[in-house]
Amino acid sequence: MSGSFAGIEMGKRALMAQSTAIQTAGHNISNADTEGFSRQRVQLRQFDPIYRPDLSRAQVPGQIGQGVTAESISRIRDEMLDSRIAAQSHQESYWSTREQYYQMIENVYNEPDDISVRTTMDKFWESWQELSLYPETKAARQAVVTRGESFAESVQTRYKAFEAIGTQLNSDIESTVKQINDYAERIAKINLDIVRSEAMGDNPNDLYDQRDLMVDKLAKLANITTDRRDANEFMVHIDGHVLVQGGIARGFDVEPMLDNHGYTKVVWSDTNETAQVSGGTLGALIELRDVDLRNEMQQLNSMVMNFTDLVNDVHRNAYGANSVTGLDFFVEQSFVNNAVGNFDRNGDGTADTSYIFRFTGTNTLDLQQQTGLTGTITIAGKTDNISITYRPTDTVETIINRINDADGEVKAYLDRNNHLVLKGTPSADESNPDFVIRHVEDSGFFLTGYAGILSASGEDGAYDFNRADAVASLATDDFTVSPVANPAGYLEVNPAIRSDVLSVAAAFRNLDGTVELGDSSAAQEIASLRNSKVMIGGATTFDDWFADSVTQVGLKGEQAQLNYETQVALMNDLRTMRESISGVNVDEELADIIKFQHGYNAAAKIVSVMDELLKTVLDLHS
């Protein structure tokens, strides 16, 4: 009920409300430069009047007001805009990460010209051309060996540069996983604090800001979404999987991968299942390491293997100035020590797999000859086996082209002795080894009696690497154990040739078995490889391969840069919009402080006047 002290109570409420508003404005100014802070406002409303219609009251003209009260303190925030920013942040950081790393990859290709792979290869071809002109000189042979060593060194330099980038990517992946786990735990802890505060009827604005800041930082690292299952449970998902649920945070671990790089894979801590992360810094890092960089290294390895195969095929069939023959010019390290490629793949102590890189048939073939055979060749593909049908009118060249055009992971060609060669390529699936023939089968007789590779037709005669001693199904003894997974890192000139440069082969044997002094036909044939379409599967020259590889890297780098710039422009607009809504304007806050100060002074005047009135009344009764 209204009484003598109602006026003082009304003034007191006004003082408290204006004081709260002044403190809130001061809080805003103090945090004007605080990351993630949202300006706050005091929500004022009229205090409940003395009399209400549902209660008995004195006979007065109407409801008697009781002043003002601070109902709540709320932050100024647009939740829909926050959702848009969280949804777009992962794209910005994704392209930023790709753009940074593609600059590194481009720098590998833009190495100094005098030590680049292409330059040293060109000089290597030139040395063979010079040897073809002066086969009787030791200096020309020494030039071939020296430039061969320079080429091998430049290949190893590029491989090591890629390897260093891969190591850095792997380190960044592990670091980003730790960041995600940290943000998830902090969000879960803040969720618990928010629930406790909300249970008391408060608006924990600063806690809301802290959580939103953590969400913004997390959104840069991975593709996340947020939602509420109910009023008290804030959730964060990564690619559809729960990362944070209320006060519970899941997390990631890293485990060693079964590869030769020492890389680690990202798994969920609680289930140990491989985590699939797209977008954001982590998604970009994993894709760069496991797709982009792996593809660059596979291309380099494939070029090196093809290059060395072609040079060695000529060189081992030719003769040096010291009459030595049968030597490969380049050598690589074998993946396994077993002579027939047996390997213990599952690590149980027993050989269970055959790692064979190349088969060479026993029979001499003619590219233009029709085979007169019918059947289906089955080879290992990227995801499953691929079938290739041949008919009686098909020539040997047609069948070889079908094998190479089938996009499988076994390629074919005729060596200089016109024997059919099948060899493994880099594998698209990380679980499969590179440069290993996994399956070869023929329902007919092209690969059996005609080419002399398989000993029998059909499934019973198929070669499959998923067993030890798989070479028993071959009709040929001319096979090569698989090289190391990254031959570009281990390529070298044959030590026997380095120790005696006269072993560099430049001549072929005549039909009568003699070797003419000054013959340089082998050197000419090796030199001609430079401009021949010899890249298996692509039917391109080595120069075409270099041009294509550099172009692809340049285009991917350009794509990353353009998309990053687009995302930056978009995110700048969104952040500017949020800043205009939630950011602190110091001038505006100072103006509000002056306004609230006037309100405070007026409320103080009310209290002062009411105090004088009461004093007068009390003096009359004394």
Side-chain angles (χ1 to χ4, degrees):
M1 295 179 62
S2 178
S4 300
F5 294 93
I8 290 182
E9 283 294 324
M10 181 173 62
K12 183 190 74 171
R13 293 189 190 97
L15 286 172
M16 294 176 65
Q18 299 300 327
S19 178
T20 301
I22 291 173
Q23 291 177 5
T24 302
H27 181 60
N28 290 341
I29 293 174
S30 301
N31 289 279
D33 296 324
T34 300
E35 184 182 13
F37 179 78
S38 303
R39 63 191 176 102
Q40 300 176 13
R41 284 290 178 264
V42 177
Q43 305 300 321
L44 302 177
R45 73 168 179 86
Q46 304 93 329
F47 196 78
D48 292 337
I50 292 177
Y51 301 116
R52 287 170 43 186
D54 56 336
L55 299 175
S56 61
R57 66 180 179 83
Q59 296 298 318
V60 294
Q63 290 185 340
I64 299 175
Q66 297 192 87
V68 69
T69 185
E71 182 179 39
S72 65
I73 302 175
S74 59
R75 61 180 188 149
I76 309 302
R77 196 84 175 191
D78 188 332
E79 292 187 1
M80 292 188 64
L81 183 58
D82 288 342
S83 298
R84 288 185 61 192
I85 291 175
Q88 287 293 135
S89 291
H90 76 94
Q91 289 285 350
E92 180 187 30
S93 56
Y94 171 84
W95 289 112
S96 173
T97 304
R98 287 186 64 83
E99 193 263 346
Q100 293 172 12
Y101 270 96
Y102 258 97
Q103 286 184 358
M104 298 183 191
I105 295 174
E106 287 177 356
N107 289 337
V108 173
Y109 281 91
N110 292 330
E111 56 187 301
D113 290 342
D114 56 342
I115 60 171
S116 69
V117 174
R118 181 167 187 168
T119 301
T120 54
M121 180 183 280
D122 288 344
K123 291 180 179 179
F124 179 71
W125 298 132
E126 291 169 3
S127 66
W128 281 103
Q129 184 66 41
E130 185 176 357
L131 178 60
S132 71
L133 298 176
Y134 307 102
E136 69 283 354
T137 64
K138 183 178 181 179
R141 283 179 163 80
Q142 181 63 61
V144 169
V145 173
T146 302
R147 291 182 177 178
E149 290 176 328
S150 297
F151 171 74
E153 183 178 349
S154 65
V155 167
Q156 290 183 32
T157 299
R158 179 176 291 188
Y159 166 76
K160 290 175 182 177
F162 284 148
E163 192 175 44
I165 293 175
T167 300
Q168 183 174 342
L169 280 165
N170 192 71
S171 177
D172 286 350
I173 288 172
E174 294 179 354
S175 175
T176 305
V177 165
K178 292 179 181 178
Q179 286 182 290
I180 291 176
N181 290 341
D182 179 57
Y183 290 146
E185 291 172 0
R186 293 167 70 178
I187 291 172
K189 182 179 181 301
I190 293 173
N191 282 342
L192 293 175
D193 293 339
I194 287 175
V195 170
R196 295 189 190 101
S197 182
E198 289 177 339
M200 302 297 292
D202 293 332
N203 287 334
N205 298 317
D206 293 331
L207 291 177
Y208 290 148
D209 284 343
Q210 291 177 30
R211 183 172 68 186
D212 287 344
L213 178 61
M214 293 298 102
V215 169
D216 283 349
K217 291 181 178 296
L218 187 58
K220 294 179 181 179
L221 303 181
N223 181 15
I224 68 168
T225 55
T226 62
D227 62 72
R228 290 178 179 270
R229 177 172 295 181
D230 55 47
N232 296 322
E233 192 170 66
F234 181 84
M235 302 180 67
V236 180
H237 296 84
I238 287 186
D239 287 312
H241 296 274
V242 175
L243 179 66
V244 178
Q245 182 174 347
I248 302 174
R250 297 177 70 194
F252 295 122
D253 281 335
V254 290
E255 290 187 349
M257 296 173 63
L258 297 177
D259 64 7
N260 62 317
H261 297 292
Y263 291 162
T264 54
K265 64 179 179 179
V266 182
V267 299
W268 288 100
S269 301
D270 51 358
T271 64
N272 210 41
E273 295 180 354
T274 301
Q276 303 297 329
V277 181
S278 65
T281 300
L282 182 58
L285 290 171
I286 293 175
E287 184 179 2
L288 281 163
R289 186 195 67 182
D290 297 344
V291 179
D292 294 84
L293 187 63
R294 181 170 181 263
N295 181 62
E296 292 300 324
M297 296 180 76
Q298 282 187 331
Q299 286 192 42
L300 178 62
N301 288 326
S302 183
M303 184 278 294
V304 169
M305 289 303 302
N306 196 54
F307 171 85
T308 55
D309 268 359
L310 293 168
V311 172
N312 287 344
D313 183 34
V314 178
H315 195 273
R316 77 171 67 95
N317 288 283
Y319 288 79
N322 55 5
S323 300
V324 171
T325 188
L327 290 179
D328 286 338
F329 187 85
F330 292 104
V331 294
E332 304 117 359
Q333 294 184 17
S334 298
F335 188 87
V336 293
N337 296 323
N338 187 277
V340 293
N342 290 341
F343 180 67
D344 178 16
R345 194 178 184 195
N346 59 14
D348 63 356
T350 303
D352 53 24
T353 315
S354 296
Y355 275 32
I356 302 298
F357 166 57
R358 177 177 50 237
F359 309 145
T360 302
T362 58
N363 300 331
T364 302
L365 306 183
D366 181 353
L367 279 176
Q368 305 307 319
Q369 183 179 17
Q370 293 182 345
T371 64
L373 301 172
T374 301
T376 300
I377 297 172
T378 304
I379 60 174
K382 293 180 178 179
T383 57
D384 204 351
N385 290 337
I386 296 175
S387 297
I388 302 152
T389 302
Y390 57 90
R391 294 174 291 274
T393 56
D394 291 333
T395 63
V396 172
E397 183 177 26
T398 300
I399 298 174
I400 289 176
N401 290 338
R402 283 186 188 154
I403 294 174
N404 293 332
D405 294 340
D407 200 27
E409 295 186 345
V410 175
K411 299 302 179 183
Y413 66 96
L414 293 188
D415 64 12
R416 73 168 319 276
N417 295 317
N418 290 321
H419 293 169
L420 180 64
V421 178
L422 299 181
K423 64 181 180 180
T425 68
S427 173
D429 188 344
E430 292 183 28
S431 63
N432 291 325
D434 289 338
F435 304 110
V436 170
I437 298 177
R438 300 196 305 277
H439 189 86
V440 175
E441 179 183 342
D442 190 354
S443 66
F445 298 98
F446 178 74
L447 294 180
T448 57
Y450 194 84
I453 290 182
L454 296 176
S455 59
S457 301
E459 293 184 9
D460 294 339
Y463 171 89
D464 192 275
F465 88 126
N466 280 315
R467 64 177 185 269
D469 297 319
V471 294
S473 61
L474 300 178
T476 176
D477 293 329
D478 190 356
F479 57 82
T480 304
V481 175
S482 178
V484 292
N486 292 287
Y490 305 95
L491 179 68
E492 64 174 342
V493 176
N494 193 328
I497 294 177
R498 292 204 310 268
S499 62
D500 183 6
V501 296
L502 295 179
S503 297
V504 174
F508 284 127
R509 185 174 56 184
N510 295 324
L511 295 177
D512 58 4
T514 62
V515 178
E516 293 183 8
L517 182 65
D519 178 28
S520 62
S521 55
Q524 292 175 16
E525 186 169 334
I526 292 178
S528 68
L529 293 174
R530 176 178 188 175
N531 299 312
S532 302
K533 292 184 177 182
V534 293
M535 290 299 288
I536 297 300
T540 59
T541 66
F542 286 110
D543 284 345
D544 292 336
W545 180 87
F546 279 110
D548 182 65
S549 61
V550 171
T551 300
Q552 289 297 323
V553 168
L555 289 175
K556 288 181 179 179
E558 181 184 46
Q559 178 194 38
Q561 181 180 7
L562 291 175
N563 284 327
Y564 172 59
E565 292 173 353
T566 300
Q567 290 298 322
V568 167
L570 178 60
M571 290 301 298
N572 285 342
D573 290 341
L574 293 175
R575 292 185 180 117
T576 300
M577 190 181 303
R578 181 166 69 180
E579 183 66 20
S580 68
I581 296 172
S582 303
V584 176
N585 186 316
V586 176
D587 292 336
E588 181 182 350
E589 299 300 329
L590 289 174
D592 284 344
I593 287 177
I594 294 173
K595 179 179 68 174
F596 299 142
Q597 182 183 14
H598 287 311
Y600 186 91
N601 292 337
K605 186 65 175 177
I606 292 173
V607 174
S608 177
V609 169
M610 292 305 300
D611 178 63
E612 292 179 4
L613 292 175
L614 287 174
K615 181 179 181 183
T616 300
V617 172
L618 292 174
D619 287 344
L620 291 175
H621 286 279
S622 61

